[in-house]
Amino acid sequence: MATLGNPTNTIAVLQKYQFTFQKKYGQNFLIDTHILEKIIRESGITENDLVLEIGPGIGTMTQYLAENAREVVAVEIDKNLIPILNDTLSAYDNVTVLNEDILKVDVFKIAEERNQGKPIKVVANLPYYITTPIIMGLFESHVPLESITIMVQKEVADRMQVGPGTKDYGALSLAVQYYAKPEIVANVPPGCFMPRPKVGSAVIKLSRYENPPVSVKNEAFLFALIRASFNQRRKTLVNGLANGDLNITKEQIIEALDKMKLPPAIRGEALTLEQFAKLSNILYS
Ligand code: SAM
């Protein structure tokens, strides 16, 4: 099977199977070999690795992964792609395709059974409509994970990487940076996909920390605090938190901010992860 990462071969496969794109599944297939090679390089996969691919599509990147990893598990929701994948991946005996919804797959079990519980690597050109639940699901379930190298919407990649004082900074930035070191490794224009998406894309590598960079008494409380702080962006932190369902009063928040030498009118978007961690430790009881 010739490499699929170009328009001619992709069109040939799509025509052979009379495949029609399903918009609801965020199907934009990669047709650029340079980008594919770059993703493989940046993901740092070796012949010792178990790689989880989310949404293999017609198997374009899966072929590269199979060439470089020990084993690949590829989870694809669209049943119409399964016969295509059986064909395009027939030369590889180290790939397992699961016809499932990634949000319902027990990734922990896959790591346990196929990688003796050792950290796996995730590599994917993600369906953009569920980027955040996929990433947060992987982190929050504490699946043994070394890194996640993914194609996402450019704007979402920016949100994951920035710090306080920028318009893109928010709950996603803090959640990602609690678990991993983010690094945008490539910007990818719409012309590298078929069909072309309406937005620009970027490849971001999230390298999982062994231990989070801050320590908190209760992780769930930290994230509830962060979410409440950004729910009402234009409000001060005090009003945002007091209006949430965290059961804390304005007075308690002002007192906590005072302990941290922060002004009572400060907004959530001005706080670093360290400051959110400190605030959560003061308020958690
Ligand atoms: N990896 C291929 C490529 O790079 O050419 C396809 C990437 S395309 C952006 C996203 C893929 O994810 C599609 O094949 C789509 O059907 C699949 N997908 C969408 N939602 C999914 C879900 N919930 N679980 C698993 N796969 C999903």
Side-chain angles (χ1 to χ4, degrees), residues 24-30 36 53-62 75-78 81 100-103 124-130 134 193:
K24 66 171 177 184
Y25 288 147
Q27 293 175 337
N28 300 94
F29 298 162
L30 266 168
L36 285 154
E53 186 189 10
I54 299 158
I58 59 170
T60 310
M61 190 154 71
T62 326
V75 180
E76 174 55 61
I77 198 169
D78 187 351
L81 287 166
E100 286 182 55
D101 176 350
I102 186 63
L103 297 178
N125 170 16
L126 284 187
Y128 293 172
Y129 73 106
I130 42 169
I134 290 175
F193 302 88

PDB file of all heavy atoms in Angstrom, residues 24-30 36 53-62 75-78 81 100-103 124-130 134 193, ligand 1:
ATOM      1  N   LYS A  24     -20.043  15.624  11.396  1.00  0.00           N
ATOM      2  CA  LYS A  24     -20.231  15.532  12.854  1.00  0.00           C
ATOM      3  C   LYS A  24     -19.042  14.852  13.548  1.00  0.00           C
ATOM      4  O   LYS A  24     -18.880  14.961  14.751  1.00  0.00           O
ATOM      5  CB  LYS A  24     -21.530  14.790  13.185  1.00  0.00           C
ATOM      6  CG  LYS A  24     -21.530  13.337  12.792  1.00  0.00           C
ATOM      7  CD  LYS A  24     -22.745  12.576  13.317  1.00  0.00           C
ATOM      8  CE  LYS A  24     -22.690  11.152  12.820  1.00  0.00           C
ATOM      9  NZ  LYS A  24     -23.775  10.313  13.129  1.00  0.00           N
ATOM     10  N   TYR A  25     -18.225  14.123  12.805  1.00  0.00           N
ATOM     11  CA  TYR A  25     -17.069  13.452  13.403  1.00  0.00           C
ATOM     12  C   TYR A  25     -15.760  14.237  13.234  1.00  0.00           C
ATOM     13  O   TYR A  25     -14.692  13.741  13.544  1.00  0.00           O
ATOM     14  CB  TYR A  25     -16.893  12.050  12.808  1.00  0.00           C
ATOM     15  CG  TYR A  25     -17.939  11.049  13.251  1.00  0.00           C
ATOM     16  CD1 TYR A  25     -18.359  10.037  12.394  1.00  0.00           C
ATOM     17  CD2 TYR A  25     -18.489  11.097  14.534  1.00  0.00           C
ATOM     18  CE1 TYR A  25     -19.301   9.100  12.792  1.00  0.00           C
ATOM     19  CE2 TYR A  25     -19.435  10.169  14.944  1.00  0.00           C
ATOM     20  CZ  TYR A  25     -19.847   9.175  14.071  1.00  0.00           C
ATOM     21  OH  TYR A  25     -20.762   8.255  14.475  1.00  0.00           O
ATOM     22  N   GLY A  26     -15.847  15.450  12.722  1.00  0.00           N
ATOM     23  CA  GLY A  26     -14.641  16.275  12.598  1.00  0.00           C
ATOM     24  C   GLY A  26     -13.596  15.636  11.687  1.00  0.00           C
ATOM     25  O   GLY A  26     -12.416  15.587  12.028  1.00  0.00           O
ATOM     26  N   GLN A  27     -14.046  15.147  10.526  1.00  0.00           N
ATOM     27  CA  GLN A  27     -13.128  14.415   9.646  1.00  0.00           C
ATOM     28  C   GLN A  27     -12.373  15.339   8.692  1.00  0.00           C
ATOM     29  O   GLN A  27     -12.944  15.847   7.721  1.00  0.00           O
ATOM     30  CB  GLN A  27     -13.910  13.346   8.877  1.00  0.00           C
ATOM     31  CG  GLN A  27     -14.416  12.258   9.826  1.00  0.00           C
ATOM     32  CD  GLN A  27     -15.303  11.227   9.181  1.00  0.00           C
ATOM     33  OE1 GLN A  27     -15.908  11.482   8.150  1.00  0.00           O
ATOM     34  NE2 GLN A  27     -15.382  10.059   9.795  1.00  0.00           N
ATOM     35  N   ASN A  28     -11.111  15.568   8.973  1.00  0.00           N
ATOM     36  CA  ASN A  28     -10.217  16.308   8.078  1.00  0.00           C
ATOM     37  C   ASN A  28      -8.927  15.500   8.010  1.00  0.00           C
ATOM     38  O   ASN A  28      -8.177  15.451   8.977  1.00  0.00           O
ATOM     39  CB  ASN A  28      -9.938  17.720   8.629  1.00  0.00           C
ATOM     40  CG  ASN A  28     -11.208  18.536   8.782  1.00  0.00           C
ATOM     41  OD1 ASN A  28     -11.800  18.568   9.856  1.00  0.00           O
ATOM     42  ND2 ASN A  28     -11.648  19.172   7.712  1.00  0.00           N
ATOM     43  N   PHE A  29      -8.715  14.852   6.877  1.00  0.00           N
ATOM     44  CA  PHE A  29      -7.594  13.912   6.778  1.00  0.00           C
ATOM     45  C   PHE A  29      -6.325  14.618   6.321  1.00  0.00           C
ATOM     46  O   PHE A  29      -6.348  15.488   5.439  1.00  0.00           O
ATOM     47  CB  PHE A  29      -7.953  12.776   5.809  1.00  0.00           C
ATOM     48  CG  PHE A  29      -9.146  11.951   6.251  1.00  0.00           C
ATOM     49  CD1 PHE A  29      -9.826  11.149   5.352  1.00  0.00           C
ATOM     50  CD2 PHE A  29      -9.582  11.971   7.575  1.00  0.00           C
ATOM     51  CE1 PHE A  29     -10.925  10.378   5.751  1.00  0.00           C
ATOM     52  CE2 PHE A  29     -10.681  11.208   7.996  1.00  0.00           C
ATOM     53  CZ  PHE A  29     -11.351  10.417   7.073  1.00  0.00           C
ATOM     54  N   LEU A  30      -5.208  14.215   6.906  1.00  0.00           N
ATOM     55  CA  LEU A  30      -3.919  14.837   6.562  1.00  0.00           C
ATOM     56  C   LEU A  30      -3.451  14.374   5.192  1.00  0.00           C
ATOM     57  O   LEU A  30      -3.509  13.186   4.874  1.00  0.00           O
ATOM     58  CB  LEU A  30      -2.874  14.445   7.609  1.00  0.00           C
ATOM     59  CG  LEU A  30      -2.688  15.431   8.765  1.00  0.00           C
ATOM     60  CD1 LEU A  30      -1.865  14.794   9.877  1.00  0.00           C
ATOM     61  CD2 LEU A  30      -2.038  16.722   8.289  1.00  0.00           C
ATOM     62  N   LEU A  36       3.265  14.992   8.559  1.00  0.00           N
ATOM     63  CA  LEU A  36       3.223  13.658   9.165  1.00  0.00           C
ATOM     64  C   LEU A  36       4.594  13.277   9.738  1.00  0.00           C
ATOM     65  O   LEU A  36       4.698  12.803  10.873  1.00  0.00           O
ATOM     66  CB  LEU A  36       2.775  12.630   8.116  1.00  0.00           C
ATOM     67  CG  LEU A  36       1.282  12.689   7.795  1.00  0.00           C
ATOM     68  CD1 LEU A  36       0.989  12.172   6.395  1.00  0.00           C
ATOM     69  CD2 LEU A  36       0.485  11.896   8.822  1.00  0.00           C
ATOM     70  N   GLU A  53      -3.588   5.892  19.128  1.00  0.00           N
ATOM     71  CA  GLU A  53      -4.002   6.907  18.163  1.00  0.00           C
ATOM     72  C   GLU A  53      -5.511   7.102  18.253  1.00  0.00           C
ATOM     73  O   GLU A  53      -6.268   6.126  18.245  1.00  0.00           O
ATOM     74  CB  GLU A  53      -3.621   6.521  16.722  1.00  0.00           C
ATOM     75  CG  GLU A  53      -3.948   7.687  15.778  1.00  0.00           C
ATOM     76  CD  GLU A  53      -3.834   7.390  14.285  1.00  0.00           C
ATOM     77  OE1 GLU A  53      -3.672   6.210  13.908  1.00  0.00           O
ATOM     78  OE2 GLU A  53      -3.921   8.347  13.500  1.00  0.00           O
ATOM     79  N   ILE A  54      -5.917   8.348  18.329  1.00  0.00           N
ATOM     80  CA  ILE A  54      -7.348   8.657  18.410  1.00  0.00           C
ATOM     81  C   ILE A  54      -7.802   9.130  17.034  1.00  0.00           C
ATOM     82  O   ILE A  54      -7.288  10.118  16.513  1.00  0.00           O
ATOM     83  CB  ILE A  54      -7.593   9.740  19.478  1.00  0.00           C
ATOM     84  CG1 ILE A  54      -7.133   9.232  20.846  1.00  0.00           C
ATOM     85  CG2 ILE A  54      -9.068  10.149  19.502  1.00  0.00           C
ATOM     86  CD1 ILE A  54      -6.833  10.329  21.841  1.00  0.00           C
ATOM     87  N   GLY A  55      -8.741   8.416  16.439  1.00  0.00           N
ATOM     88  CA  GLY A  55      -9.277   8.802  15.135  1.00  0.00           C
ATOM     89  C   GLY A  55      -8.297   8.585  13.996  1.00  0.00           C
ATOM     90  O   GLY A  55      -7.780   9.544  13.431  1.00  0.00           O
ATOM     91  N   PRO A  56      -8.031   7.321  13.618  1.00  0.00           N
ATOM     92  CA  PRO A  56      -7.071   7.074  12.536  1.00  0.00           C
ATOM     93  C   PRO A  56      -7.556   7.474  11.139  1.00  0.00           C
ATOM     94  O   PRO A  56      -6.746   7.551  10.220  1.00  0.00           O
ATOM     95  CB  PRO A  56      -6.846   5.558  12.607  1.00  0.00           C
ATOM     96  CG  PRO A  56      -8.083   5.017  13.255  1.00  0.00           C
ATOM     97  CD  PRO A  56      -8.536   6.068  14.222  1.00  0.00           C
ATOM     98  N   GLY A  57      -8.872   7.718  10.970  1.00  0.00           N
ATOM     99  CA  GLY A  57      -9.370   8.097   9.637  1.00  0.00           C
ATOM    100  C   GLY A  57      -9.174   6.967   8.661  1.00  0.00           C
ATOM    101  O   GLY A  57      -9.635   5.841   8.889  1.00  0.00           O
ATOM    102  N   ILE A  58      -8.446   7.214   7.553  1.00  0.00           N
ATOM    103  CA  ILE A  58      -8.181   6.128   6.592  1.00  0.00           C
ATOM    104  C   ILE A  58      -6.823   5.462   6.880  1.00  0.00           C
ATOM    105  O   ILE A  58      -6.352   4.635   6.105  1.00  0.00           O
ATOM    106  CB  ILE A  58      -8.240   6.622   5.120  1.00  0.00           C
ATOM    107  CG1 ILE A  58      -7.213   7.734   4.858  1.00  0.00           C
ATOM    108  CG2 ILE A  58      -9.654   7.082   4.747  1.00  0.00           C
ATOM    109  CD1 ILE A  58      -7.059   8.088   3.368  1.00  0.00           C
ATOM    110  N   GLY A  59      -6.179   5.867   7.982  1.00  0.00           N
ATOM    111  CA  GLY A  59      -4.948   5.186   8.399  1.00  0.00           C
ATOM    112  C   GLY A  59      -3.664   5.875   7.968  1.00  0.00           C
ATOM    113  O   GLY A  59      -2.578   5.281   8.058  1.00  0.00           O
ATOM    114  N   THR A  60      -3.769   7.128   7.548  1.00  0.00           N
ATOM    115  CA  THR A  60      -2.605   7.844   7.023  1.00  0.00           C
ATOM    116  C   THR A  60      -1.475   7.915   8.052  1.00  0.00           C
ATOM    117  O   THR A  60      -0.347   7.491   7.792  1.00  0.00           O
ATOM    118  CB  THR A  60      -3.019   9.280   6.604  1.00  0.00           C
ATOM    119  OG1 THR A  60      -4.173   9.182   5.778  1.00  0.00           O
ATOM    120  CG2 THR A  60      -1.906   9.972   5.870  1.00  0.00           C
ATOM    121  N   MET A  61      -1.798   8.438   9.228  1.00  0.00           N
ATOM    122  CA  MET A  61      -0.753   8.566  10.252  1.00  0.00           C
ATOM    123  C   MET A  61      -0.469   7.227  10.919  1.00  0.00           C
ATOM    124  O   MET A  61       0.641   6.960  11.362  1.00  0.00           O
ATOM    125  CB  MET A  61      -1.183   9.599  11.298  1.00  0.00           C
ATOM    126  CG  MET A  61      -0.054   9.958  12.239  1.00  0.00           C
ATOM    127  SD  MET A  61      -0.267  11.580  12.932  1.00  0.00           S
ATOM    128  CE  MET A  61      -1.626  11.296  14.025  1.00  0.00           C
ATOM    129  N   THR A  62      -1.483   6.375  10.948  1.00  0.00           N
ATOM    130  CA  THR A  62      -1.333   5.051  11.557  1.00  0.00           C
ATOM    131  C   THR A  62      -0.181   4.282  10.902  1.00  0.00           C
ATOM    132  O   THR A  62       0.578   3.590  11.576  1.00  0.00           O
ATOM    133  CB  THR A  62      -2.648   4.240  11.414  1.00  0.00           C
ATOM    134  OG1 THR A  62      -3.747   5.137  11.506  1.00  0.00           O
ATOM    135  CG2 THR A  62      -2.745   3.180  12.484  1.00  0.00           C
ATOM    136  N   VAL A  75      -8.220   4.031  17.787  1.00  0.00           N
ATOM    137  CA  VAL A  75      -9.648   4.019  18.121  1.00  0.00           C
ATOM    138  C   VAL A  75     -10.415   4.914  17.160  1.00  0.00           C
ATOM    139  O   VAL A  75     -10.198   6.125  17.121  1.00  0.00           O
ATOM    140  CB  VAL A  75      -9.853   4.504  19.579  1.00  0.00           C
ATOM    141  CG1 VAL A  75     -11.344   4.498  19.927  1.00  0.00           C
ATOM    142  CG2 VAL A  75      -9.061   3.648  20.555  1.00  0.00           C
ATOM    143  N   GLU A  76     -11.295   4.313  16.374  1.00  0.00           N
ATOM    144  CA  GLU A  76     -12.040   5.064  15.352  1.00  0.00           C
ATOM    145  C   GLU A  76     -13.552   4.845  15.541  1.00  0.00           C
ATOM    146  O   GLU A  76     -14.024   3.716  15.565  1.00  0.00           O
ATOM    147  CB  GLU A  76     -11.606   4.602  13.954  1.00  0.00           C
ATOM    148  CG  GLU A  76     -12.395   5.188  12.799  1.00  0.00           C
ATOM    149  CD  GLU A  76     -12.424   6.725  12.787  1.00  0.00           C
ATOM    150  OE1 GLU A  76     -11.357   7.344  12.693  1.00  0.00           O
ATOM    151  OE2 GLU A  76     -13.535   7.282  12.892  1.00  0.00           O
ATOM    152  N   ILE A  77     -14.302   5.934  15.616  1.00  0.00           N
ATOM    153  CA  ILE A  77     -15.743   5.840  15.890  1.00  0.00           C
ATOM    154  C   ILE A  77     -16.570   5.489  14.640  1.00  0.00           C
ATOM    155  O   ILE A  77     -17.612   4.855  14.730  1.00  0.00           O
ATOM    156  CB  ILE A  77     -16.252   7.177  16.492  1.00  0.00           C
ATOM    157  CG1 ILE A  77     -17.608   6.989  17.192  1.00  0.00           C
ATOM    158  CG2 ILE A  77     -16.338   8.282  15.437  1.00  0.00           C
ATOM    159  CD1 ILE A  77     -18.042   8.188  18.032  1.00  0.00           C
ATOM    160  N   ASP A  78     -16.088   5.895  13.458  1.00  0.00           N
ATOM    161  CA  ASP A  78     -16.891   5.771  12.234  1.00  0.00           C
ATOM    162  C   ASP A  78     -16.762   4.365  11.641  1.00  0.00           C
ATOM    163  O   ASP A  78     -15.695   3.991  11.128  1.00  0.00           O
ATOM    164  CB  ASP A  78     -16.411   6.834  11.225  1.00  0.00           C
ATOM    165  CG  ASP A  78     -17.297   6.888   9.987  1.00  0.00           C
ATOM    166  OD1 ASP A  78     -18.169   6.005   9.830  1.00  0.00           O
ATOM    167  OD2 ASP A  78     -17.103   7.820   9.172  1.00  0.00           O
ATOM    168  N   LEU A  81     -15.233   3.568   8.234  1.00  0.00           N
ATOM    169  CA  LEU A  81     -13.785   3.618   8.002  1.00  0.00           C
ATOM    170  C   LEU A  81     -13.103   2.274   8.314  1.00  0.00           C
ATOM    171  O   LEU A  81     -11.953   2.056   7.926  1.00  0.00           O
ATOM    172  CB  LEU A  81     -13.149   4.728   8.856  1.00  0.00           C
ATOM    173  CG  LEU A  81     -13.433   6.154   8.361  1.00  0.00           C
ATOM    174  CD1 LEU A  81     -13.071   7.184   9.426  1.00  0.00           C
ATOM    175  CD2 LEU A  81     -12.651   6.443   7.085  1.00  0.00           C
ATOM    176  N   GLU A 100     -14.642   2.223  18.243  1.00  0.00           N
ATOM    177  CA  GLU A 100     -15.309   2.722  19.449  1.00  0.00           C
ATOM    178  C   GLU A 100     -15.180   4.232  19.560  1.00  0.00           C
ATOM    179  O   GLU A 100     -14.386   4.854  18.864  1.00  0.00           O
ATOM    180  CB  GLU A 100     -14.682   2.066  20.682  1.00  0.00           C
ATOM    181  CG  GLU A 100     -15.083   0.612  20.853  1.00  0.00           C
ATOM    182  CD  GLU A 100     -14.491  -0.011  22.098  1.00  0.00           C
ATOM    183  OE1 GLU A 100     -14.700   0.545  23.183  1.00  0.00           O
ATOM    184  OE2 GLU A 100     -13.794  -1.033  21.959  1.00  0.00           O
ATOM    185  N   ASP A 101     -15.960   4.782  20.502  1.00  0.00           N
ATOM    186  CA  ASP A 101     -15.890   6.197  20.842  1.00  0.00           C
ATOM    187  C   ASP A 101     -14.782   6.356  21.887  1.00  0.00           C
ATOM    188  O   ASP A 101     -14.847   5.736  22.956  1.00  0.00           O
ATOM    189  CB  ASP A 101     -17.260   6.615  21.420  1.00  0.00           C
ATOM    190  CG  ASP A 101     -17.271   8.055  21.894  1.00  0.00           C
ATOM    191  OD1 ASP A 101     -16.201   8.679  21.969  1.00  0.00           O
ATOM    192  OD2 ASP A 101     -18.376   8.545  22.194  1.00  0.00           O
ATOM    193  N   ILE A 102     -13.777   7.149  21.591  1.00  0.00           N
ATOM    194  CA  ILE A 102     -12.632   7.280  22.500  1.00  0.00           C
ATOM    195  C   ILE A 102     -13.060   7.697  23.904  1.00  0.00           C
ATOM    196  O   ILE A 102     -12.444   7.318  24.899  1.00  0.00           O
ATOM    197  CB  ILE A 102     -11.552   8.267  21.945  1.00  0.00           C
ATOM    198  CG1 ILE A 102     -10.296   8.271  22.838  1.00  0.00           C
ATOM    199  CG2 ILE A 102     -12.084   9.672  21.789  1.00  0.00           C
ATOM    200  CD1 ILE A 102      -9.564   6.973  22.927  1.00  0.00           C
ATOM    201  N   LEU A 103     -14.146   8.464  23.989  1.00  0.00           N
ATOM    202  CA  LEU A 103     -14.587   8.928  25.316  1.00  0.00           C
ATOM    203  C   LEU A 103     -15.155   7.781  26.163  1.00  0.00           C
ATOM    204  O   LEU A 103     -15.369   7.928  27.356  1.00  0.00           O
ATOM    205  CB  LEU A 103     -15.617  10.056  25.186  1.00  0.00           C
ATOM    206  CG  LEU A 103     -15.098  11.333  24.504  1.00  0.00           C
ATOM    207  CD1 LEU A 103     -16.202  12.361  24.374  1.00  0.00           C
ATOM    208  CD2 LEU A 103     -13.908  11.927  25.260  1.00  0.00           C
ATOM    209  N   ALA A 124      -2.157  11.959  17.814  1.00  0.00           N
ATOM    210  CA  ALA A 124      -3.426  12.035  17.076  1.00  0.00           C
ATOM    211  C   ALA A 124      -3.609  13.348  16.345  1.00  0.00           C
ATOM    212  O   ALA A 124      -3.093  14.384  16.762  1.00  0.00           O
ATOM    213  CB  ALA A 124      -4.599  11.851  18.043  1.00  0.00           C
ATOM    214  N   ASN A 125      -4.342  13.246  15.255  1.00  0.00           N
ATOM    215  CA  ASN A 125      -4.906  14.421  14.602  1.00  0.00           C
ATOM    216  C   ASN A 125      -6.351  14.423  15.083  1.00  0.00           C
ATOM    217  O   ASN A 125      -7.180  13.686  14.566  1.00  0.00           O
ATOM    218  CB  ASN A 125      -4.782  14.243  13.080  1.00  0.00           C
ATOM    219  CG  ASN A 125      -5.557  15.290  12.306  1.00  0.00           C
ATOM    220  OD1 ASN A 125      -5.951  16.313  12.846  1.00  0.00           O
ATOM    221  ND2 ASN A 125      -5.777  15.019  11.022  1.00  0.00           N
ATOM    222  N   LEU A 126      -6.598  15.188  16.146  1.00  0.00           N
ATOM    223  CA  LEU A 126      -7.854  15.041  16.893  1.00  0.00           C
ATOM    224  C   LEU A 126      -9.082  15.546  16.141  1.00  0.00           C
ATOM    225  O   LEU A 126      -8.993  16.511  15.377  1.00  0.00           O
ATOM    226  CB  LEU A 126      -7.770  15.827  18.207  1.00  0.00           C
ATOM    227  CG  LEU A 126      -6.964  15.249  19.352  1.00  0.00           C
ATOM    228  CD1 LEU A 126      -7.178  16.105  20.590  1.00  0.00           C
ATOM    229  CD2 LEU A 126      -7.308  13.809  19.648  1.00  0.00           C
ATOM    230  N   PRO A 127     -10.241  14.906  16.409  1.00  0.00           N
ATOM    231  CA  PRO A 127     -11.503  15.527  15.977  1.00  0.00           C
ATOM    232  C   PRO A 127     -11.719  16.763  16.865  1.00  0.00           C
ATOM    233  O   PRO A 127     -11.789  16.632  18.083  1.00  0.00           O
ATOM    234  CB  PRO A 127     -12.543  14.436  16.253  1.00  0.00           C
ATOM    235  CG  PRO A 127     -11.919  13.487  17.232  1.00  0.00           C
ATOM    236  CD  PRO A 127     -10.430  13.629  17.112  1.00  0.00           C
ATOM    237  N   TYR A 128     -11.808  17.948  16.252  1.00  0.00           N
ATOM    238  CA  TYR A 128     -11.749  19.192  17.034  1.00  0.00           C
ATOM    239  C   TYR A 128     -12.939  19.411  17.955  1.00  0.00           C
ATOM    240  O   TYR A 128     -12.830  20.109  18.945  1.00  0.00           O
ATOM    241  CB  TYR A 128     -11.590  20.408  16.100  1.00  0.00           C
ATOM    242  CG  TYR A 128     -10.255  20.444  15.375  1.00  0.00           C
ATOM    243  CD1 TYR A 128      -9.999  21.366  14.365  1.00  0.00           C
ATOM    244  CD2 TYR A 128      -9.243  19.548  15.707  1.00  0.00           C
ATOM    245  CE1 TYR A 128      -8.775  21.388  13.703  1.00  0.00           C
ATOM    246  CE2 TYR A 128      -8.026  19.565  15.054  1.00  0.00           C
ATOM    247  CZ  TYR A 128      -7.794  20.482  14.046  1.00  0.00           C
ATOM    248  OH  TYR A 128      -6.587  20.504  13.407  1.00  0.00           O
ATOM    249  N   TYR A 129     -14.083  18.756  17.627  1.00  0.00           N
ATOM    250  CA  TYR A 129     -15.271  19.026  18.446  1.00  0.00           C
ATOM    251  C   TYR A 129     -15.173  18.446  19.853  1.00  0.00           C
ATOM    252  O   TYR A 129     -15.950  18.810  20.728  1.00  0.00           O
ATOM    253  CB  TYR A 129     -16.543  18.511  17.735  1.00  0.00           C
ATOM    254  CG  TYR A 129     -16.704  17.000  17.724  1.00  0.00           C
ATOM    255  CD1 TYR A 129     -17.643  16.380  18.549  1.00  0.00           C
ATOM    256  CD2 TYR A 129     -15.920  16.194  16.905  1.00  0.00           C
ATOM    257  CE1 TYR A 129     -17.796  14.999  18.546  1.00  0.00           C
ATOM    258  CE2 TYR A 129     -16.055  14.825  16.901  1.00  0.00           C
ATOM    259  CZ  TYR A 129     -16.994  14.231  17.722  1.00  0.00           C
ATOM    260  OH  TYR A 129     -17.123  12.862  17.724  1.00  0.00           O
ATOM    261  N   ILE A 130     -14.216  17.527  20.095  1.00  0.00           N
ATOM    262  CA  ILE A 130     -14.091  16.972  21.447  1.00  0.00           C
ATOM    263  C   ILE A 130     -12.649  17.040  21.980  1.00  0.00           C
ATOM    264  O   ILE A 130     -12.243  16.215  22.797  1.00  0.00           O
ATOM    265  CB  ILE A 130     -14.606  15.513  21.553  1.00  0.00           C
ATOM    266  CG1 ILE A 130     -14.154  14.687  20.332  1.00  0.00           C
ATOM    267  CG2 ILE A 130     -16.107  15.468  21.736  1.00  0.00           C
ATOM    268  CD1 ILE A 130     -14.388  13.188  20.504  1.00  0.00           C
ATOM    269  N   ILE A 134     -11.311  15.008  25.485  1.00  0.00           N
ATOM    270  CA  ILE A 134     -10.339  13.923  25.272  1.00  0.00           C
ATOM    271  C   ILE A 134      -9.103  14.165  26.143  1.00  0.00           C
ATOM    272  O   ILE A 134      -8.654  13.291  26.884  1.00  0.00           O
ATOM    273  CB  ILE A 134      -9.922  13.816  23.784  1.00  0.00           C
ATOM    274  CG1 ILE A 134     -11.080  13.293  22.932  1.00  0.00           C
ATOM    275  CG2 ILE A 134      -8.715  12.883  23.636  1.00  0.00           C
ATOM    276  CD1 ILE A 134     -10.799  13.260  21.429  1.00  0.00           C
ATOM    277  N   PHE A 193      -4.976  19.542   4.777  1.00  0.00           N
ATOM    278  CA  PHE A 193      -6.033  18.570   5.089  1.00  0.00           C
ATOM    279  C   PHE A 193      -7.018  18.432   3.936  1.00  0.00           C
ATOM    280  O   PHE A 193      -7.188  19.344   3.125  1.00  0.00           O
ATOM    281  CB  PHE A 193      -6.850  19.041   6.303  1.00  0.00           C
ATOM    282  CG  PHE A 193      -6.065  19.273   7.552  1.00  0.00           C
ATOM    283  CD1 PHE A 193      -5.481  20.509   7.805  1.00  0.00           C
ATOM    284  CD2 PHE A 193      -5.919  18.270   8.500  1.00  0.00           C
ATOM    285  CE1 PHE A 193      -4.766  20.744   8.972  1.00  0.00           C
ATOM    286  CE2 PHE A 193      -5.209  18.496   9.671  1.00  0.00           C
ATOM    287  CZ  PHE A 193      -4.638  19.737   9.908  1.00  0.00           C
TER     288      PHE A 193
HETATM  289  N1  SAM B   1      -5.894  10.564  11.674  1.00  0.00           N
HETATM  290  C1  SAM B   1      -6.555  10.874  10.426  1.00  0.00           C
HETATM  291  C2  SAM B   1      -5.698  11.820   9.612  1.00  0.00           C
HETATM  292  O1  SAM B   1      -4.849  12.478  10.217  1.00  0.00           O
HETATM  293  O2  SAM B   1      -5.852  11.884   8.402  1.00  0.00           O
HETATM  294  C3  SAM B   1      -7.953  11.451  10.642  1.00  0.00           C
HETATM  295  C4  SAM B   1      -8.051  12.646  11.556  1.00  0.00           C
HETATM  296  S1  SAM B   1      -9.648  13.403  11.600  1.00  0.00           S
HETATM  297  C5  SAM B   1      -9.226  15.044  12.079  1.00  0.00           C
HETATM  298  C6  SAM B   1     -10.393  12.830  13.110  1.00  0.00           C
HETATM  299  C7  SAM B   1     -10.809  11.354  13.138  1.00  0.00           C
HETATM  300  O3  SAM B   1     -11.399  11.072  14.421  1.00  0.00           O
HETATM  301  C8  SAM B   1     -11.850  10.965  12.119  1.00  0.00           C
HETATM  302  O4  SAM B   1     -11.457   9.773  11.475  1.00  0.00           O
HETATM  303  C9  SAM B   1     -13.134  10.742  12.933  1.00  0.00           C
HETATM  304  O5  SAM B   1     -14.030   9.809  12.362  1.00  0.00           O
HETATM  305  C10 SAM B   1     -12.559  10.261  14.253  1.00  0.00           C
HETATM  306  N2  SAM B   1     -13.425  10.486  15.438  1.00  0.00           N
HETATM  307  C11 SAM B   1     -14.320  11.485  15.628  1.00  0.00           C
HETATM  308  N3  SAM B   1     -14.901  11.371  16.836  1.00  0.00           N
HETATM  309  C12 SAM B   1     -14.351  10.281  17.443  1.00  0.00           C
HETATM  310  C13 SAM B   1     -14.557   9.648  18.704  1.00  0.00           C
HETATM  311  N4  SAM B   1     -15.430  10.113  19.594  1.00  0.00           N
HETATM  312  N5  SAM B   1     -13.829   8.527  18.992  1.00  0.00           N
HETATM  313  C14 SAM B   1     -12.933   8.033  18.076  1.00  0.00           C
HETATM  314  N6  SAM B   1     -12.709   8.606  16.866  1.00  0.00           N
HETATM  315  C15 SAM B   1     -13.403   9.704  16.550  1.00  0.00           C
END
